[in-house]
Each structure stands twice: as structure tokens, then as C-alpha cells.
Amino acid sequence: MAEERTKCDFKTPDDGGEAVFKGVEQPIFSALSSGQAERDNTVGQRASCEGTKAPGAALTPATTPAFSDTESGIFSGECETCVEHDSELDWFCGTELKLICSHCAIVGPCRGHSVTPLAARVTAVRNQLVDACEKMQVQARWMERFMEKTLPSKEQKLQVAASTAREQVVAQVNAAREALEEEEQRLLEEVQREEERVEQCLLTQRAHWSQALDSLAHTRSLVVHTLTHYADPQLVMSIQELTESMEAAEGVCKPCDTKQLNFRPGCGESKLLRGLWATAMLQGPRAYASSSFKFDERTVSPLLSLSDDHRNLTFVHKKLNRSLPYDPARFDSWPNALGSLAMSSGTHTWVLDVGQSAAFKVGVCYASMERKGACDKARLGYNEQSWVLCHFGGEYSFCHQGNKVLLEVMVRPRKVGLLLDWPSQTLLFYSPESSAVLYTVRGPFSAPLLPAVAVTDQSVTILH
């Protein structure tokens, strides 16, 4: 410890006449004790031996280490004395943590306690303080090094990382914007071509039927004129000519509506735009349903258990089938339940947590769907009033009117998002985890739709 050195600054008032030492390297213990000399090893050993004597051993002033106030370094004035024995307080009681005299240690109240010569205690305390100072000095060097080297380096790396992140964001947004602008231009041109095609068809049809109408009107006028102005002999002789004109008029087909005269709605669709639209709607701020999206307790099948917050449906085994009061809105055979919010305008999104369920259906249906019995009219996906995404037997499919469309799902989704856009009559099933559109349905929908769910394994939850 005495070999370790530190830099200490000693300053005194200018009028004191003493020199001011700065940066003088000397032992830290010596600096703290104001130049106190090292004690004699022999004396220190004797003090230690006497401090560890068995209780009750004779301890006389002749054998007590004679450390003066100056040597101890803690008394600058008169020595403190024991009030009870009028002796110098030159011992320390470790049990009661106080200064005592030799008599207190031998026959006094501290007899049998752990006592140490005051000088030895002072040395231990000083060494402890020196160690603490050295640790603080090392800690200060660490802090200085951290502030001088680490923090500036971190600031430089922060600037580089933030700049790179900004460039990446701008690059990605620009790429997406460029792709969207190109796709927008392409789709608008496609819509324009489709509009021009239909307009041309309409013009052609208008010209054709205008000509046919004129021809028909001319033939009719000729027939009427013949009937009203020709004499009987002339009428008989002109019948052949009239017959040819009438046959030509009758040969004109009746006008009828065709697909060529209708605008093709799908011309404005694209996989890229549909995917970005679904991602924005189902992964953005409106990704999850509002608090109004809940299951209607009246519709919940006895095979399902509804949570208190009306957001979770859990399949209940048949053996635990519960008896519920009759309600015309309740499904009594199939494990179905409907949402409480009817949708007939605007755009709606909601996300269902299907977890590890191996058998479920999620989708929409009309409020007029049958609720009673085990018939297909009350079975989701098996009638014309319901559209659902099904998962059963490890397969995913879209079901409507009993027809199944198998879906290729690369990653099993733990969540399924639904997007219903009433203006475009579009129902879309989406996987938020893979950002993939699972299936898209085009209406038309003729009545308000309700969220619909069926569960035969584990549970399904509406996420808010």
C-alpha cells in the first residue's frame, strides 16, 4: 500500500509564507496522514498481540503501546480521558464501537469484548480509507476514459447509424412510391382503355340500332301507305315487294344487353395494390378492431364458452355441454357465434387470434342466416348467406354455398385479419404475420353483414 502513489495538490494561503506544491508525487497514505512516519513493525506486532489477548489477562500501562496523540494522528489537543477510570482512551471496543481505556477492557464494561489498540484501529481505518480513495481514483479514471473516448465514439457511430437509417427509410419509401406511381399509372391507363372500349361498343351499338330502327320505320311506313292508298288490284300486285321488305325487317334481331356493353370492374385491380392496401389497413393504426367489435352473447352456441369481455370464444367438450335459455338468435347445433356490429357502409377491419386452434372458421354472414338445427342453412360456409375462411385437417380453404377453394398457405398464421370494404363490395382475408392476402371475395352483398366465427378446437379471440 505504501508503494502506491498518487498526485496530490497542496495549497496554502499566499500570506502564510508556505510554498504551494502541485503535482508532487508521494505515497497516498502519507498524503492522507500529513506526512506521518511509518510505525515500527515491532511495536505494531506487539499492539496486535496485546489486542488479541484472552479476556481477563493482565494488561498494565507498562505493556500498553504508548502511542502519543501526534503518532496516532487523530488528537491535536489534549488527550481524551475515560470518565469512569480517568485514563487515556487508547483502546477501541469493536463490540460497542467506541473508544475505551485499558481499565475498561480489563475490568470495566468492555471486558471480554473484541478490543484493539487505538493506533492499530487508526491504521486499519486509514488503510480502509486509502483503499476507498484508490478505488474512487480508478473509478474516476474509468469515467474520464468513458467520457473522453467511448462517448465521442458512440456519438460518431450514432450519427452514421442514424444517417444510414434515414437513407434506408427514404430509399424504401421512394422505391415503394415509385412502384405505386407506376402501378397507379398502369391501372389508370387500363381503366381508360376499358372505358374507351365500352364507349366504342356503345357507339357501335347505337349506330347499328339507329340504322335498324330507321329501316324498320321505313318498312312500316311503306306498309301503312300501301294499305291506305293502294286499290285492291295494286295491293295484290305489290304484296311480293312488301313481303321482302317485311322479311328484311323481321330478320333484324332484338337488341339485348351483353358483357361487352358493361365496364369490367377487375380492370383496376392488381396484386401489388391489393397487398399494399391490405397491409396499410391491417398493419397500420387501424389494424385491430375497435372496442365495438365483440361477440353477441345471444348468438353463442352452447358448445362455446364466451369470456367476460365478450372477445374470446373457447370450444367446450360435448360432455360439458351446458343448458342455456332458449333464444331465437342462438345457434343450437353448430359451434357458431356472431359479432354484435352490423356492417353496411364504409371500411371495416378486425383481427382474430386463432393461436394453435386446429379447427375454426372466420368470416361474415347475413343477420338472416338460420340459427336452429344441424342443417346446412345454419352451417357457416355451406349456404349463400355466409363467406368464411376455414381451417380443418391441416388445410385452409374458402367456403361459400358448400363450395371449397383450397388455399396455399406457406406459414400457418396465428392471426387472421379481415377487411370489409363496403363501397367496393370486397371481403379480404389476410395474414398479418406474413403480410400475405389469403383470399379475396367480390360481392355483391345485398344486406348488412355480421362477423361470424366457428370453433371446434381451443379458442379464438378478437384483438383490439
Side-chain angles (χ1 to χ4, degrees):
M1 184 63 67
E3 293 178 359
E4 296 183 14
R5 298 175 177 274
T6 185
K7 291 184 178 181
C8 303
D9 296 339
F10 298 91
K11 297 182 181 179
T12 57
D14 294 338
D15 57 355
E18 294 182 11
V20 179
F21 298 91
K22 292 186 177 181
V24 180
E25 233 180 49
Q26 60 179 345
I28 192 167
F29 179 86
S30 182
L32 291 174
S33 60
S34 302
Q36 179 186 2
E38 295 184 357
R39 292 173 176 78
D40 184 77
N41 293 335
T42 306
V43 175
Q45 294 174 359
R46 183 178 62 187
S48 300
C49 295
E50 292 176 352
T52 56
K53 283 185 178 181
L59 188 63
T60 63
T63 61
T64 303
F67 295 108
S68 65
D69 297 341
T70 303
E71 290 174 336
S72 67
I74 61 171
F75 301 130
S76 58
E78 295 183 358
C79 298
E80 297 186 19
T81 58
C82 177
V83 177
E84 183 177 355
H85 303 102
D86 195 22
S87 299
E88 183 180 353
L89 299 176
D90 52 1
W91 284 79
F92 179 78
C93 178
T95 304
E96 298 186 10
L97 301 178
K98 66 179 182 178
L99 297 177
I100 60 174
C101 66
S102 56
H103 297 286
C104 292
I106 299 173
V107 297
C110 294
R111 179 181 179 181
H113 291 182
S114 174
V115 297
T116 307
L118 181 58
R121 178 62 180 171
V122 169
T123 301
V125 171
R126 287 183 178 277
N127 290 339
Q128 181 180 357
L129 296 178
V130 169
D131 290 342
C133 289
E134 291 177 346
K135 290 180 180 178
M136 287 187 286
Q137 187 175 358
V138 172
Q139 187 176 6
R141 285 200 296 268
W142 288 344
M143 293 179 181
E144 292 173 355
R145 188 180 299 110
F146 182 79
M147 295 174 63
E148 293 174 359
K149 297 182 178 180
T150 305
L151 291 182
S153 175
K154 291 293 183 181
E155 290 178 354
Q156 295 177 356
K157 292 180 179 179
L158 170 63
Q159 295 175 359
V160 173
S163 177
T164 302
R166 291 190 187 95
E167 293 175 357
Q168 291 177 351
V169 170
V170 172
Q172 292 174 0
V173 171
N174 287 338
R177 183 182 293 113
E178 182 179 352
L180 277 175
E181 290 175 352
E182 292 178 358
E183 189 70 1
E184 178 188 19
Q185 185 65 27
R186 186 185 70 81
L187 293 175
L188 291 178
E189 292 175 357
E190 184 67 23
V191 171
Q192 180 68 22
R193 284 193 294 270
E194 179 66 10
E195 182 184 16
E196 292 175 355
R197 183 194 66 78
V198 175
E199 286 181 348
Q200 185 61 40
C201 288
L202 294 175
L203 288 174
T204 302
Q205 290 288 313
R206 182 174 288 108
H208 171 75
W209 291 111
S210 294
Q211 184 179 358
L213 182 61
D214 292 342
S215 177
L216 184 63
H218 174 72
T219 301
R220 182 177 179 277
S221 297
L222 180 61
V223 172
V224 172
H225 178 75
T226 301
L227 287 172
T228 56
H229 293 83
Y230 281 21
D232 293 344
Q234 291 177 323
L235 180 64
V236 172
M237 296 303 295
S238 62
I239 188 61
Q240 184 65 31
E241 181 182 356
L242 293 175
T243 299
E244 293 177 357
S245 298
M246 288 187 295
E247 287 179 352
E250 290 176 358
V252 178
C253 299
K254 292 182 179 180
C256 61
D257 191 4
T258 64
K259 291 183 178 180
Q260 297 299 323
L261 299 178
N262 298 325
F263 184 83
R264 182 169 54 89
C267 67
E269 292 184 1
S270 77
K271 186 176 180 180
L272 173 62
L273 186 60
R274 183 169 61 249
L276 290 175
W277 177 53
T279 300
M281 297 299 295
L282 286 161
Q283 302 250 75
R286 300 176 61 184
Y288 297 94
S290 65
S291 57
S292 59
F293 268 82
K294 295 181 180 180
F295 291 113
D296 185 355
E297 184 178 9
R298 297 179 56 205
T299 67
V300 177
S301 166
L303 297 174
L304 301 176
S305 174
L306 181 64
S307 62
D308 293 338
D309 59 4
H310 291 194
R311 291 171 47 198
N312 177 271
L313 289 173
T314 303
F315 178 67
V316 179
H317 196 273
K318 218 169 187 180
K319 293 181 179 179
L320 301 177
N321 196 357
R322 299 160 299 145
S323 177
L324 297 175
Y326 175 83
D327 195 310
R330 190 184 311 281
F331 291 92
D332 61 0
S333 297
W334 296 108
N336 302 340
L338 303 181
S340 57
L341 179 64
M343 301 168 288
S344 59
S345 63
T347 302
H348 303 270
T349 61
W350 65 101
V351 179
L352 296 164
D353 184 356
V354 297
Q356 297 295 330
S357 177
F360 64 83
K361 296 178 183 178
V362 294
V364 295
C365 72
Y366 291 140
S368 58
M369 180 176 168
E370 181 62 48
R371 312 296 175 90
K372 305 302 179 182
C375 57
D376 286 346
K377 291 184 178 181
R379 189 179 183 185
L380 291 175
Y382 283 80
N383 49 67
E384 61 181 8
Q385 296 194 338
S386 58
W387 298 258
V388 292
L389 176 76
C390 305
H391 175 48
F392 183 76
E395 293 182 342
Y396 289 86
S397 61
F398 170 76
C399 299
H400 176 60
Q401 289 186 313
N403 299 319
K404 289 186 178 181
V405 179
L406 293 179
L407 307 179
E408 294 184 2
V409 179
M410 304 303 295
V411 180
R412 178 178 179 178
R414 295 178 60 88
K415 299 176 183 177
V416 177
L418 288 88
L419 187 154
L420 176 63
D421 185 58
W422 192 266
S424 63
Q425 295 285 281
T426 302
L427 174 64
L428 186 146
F429 299 91
Y430 182 82
S431 173
E433 295 160 311
S434 61
S435 300
V437 177
L438 302 176
Y439 195 77
T440 303
V441 182
R442 287 285 184 182
F445 304 115
S446 59
L449 294 171
L450 295 172
V453 171
V455 189
T456 55
D457 179 61
Q458 298 192 30
S459 63
V460 170
T461 304
I462 297 178
L463 299 179
H464 288 166

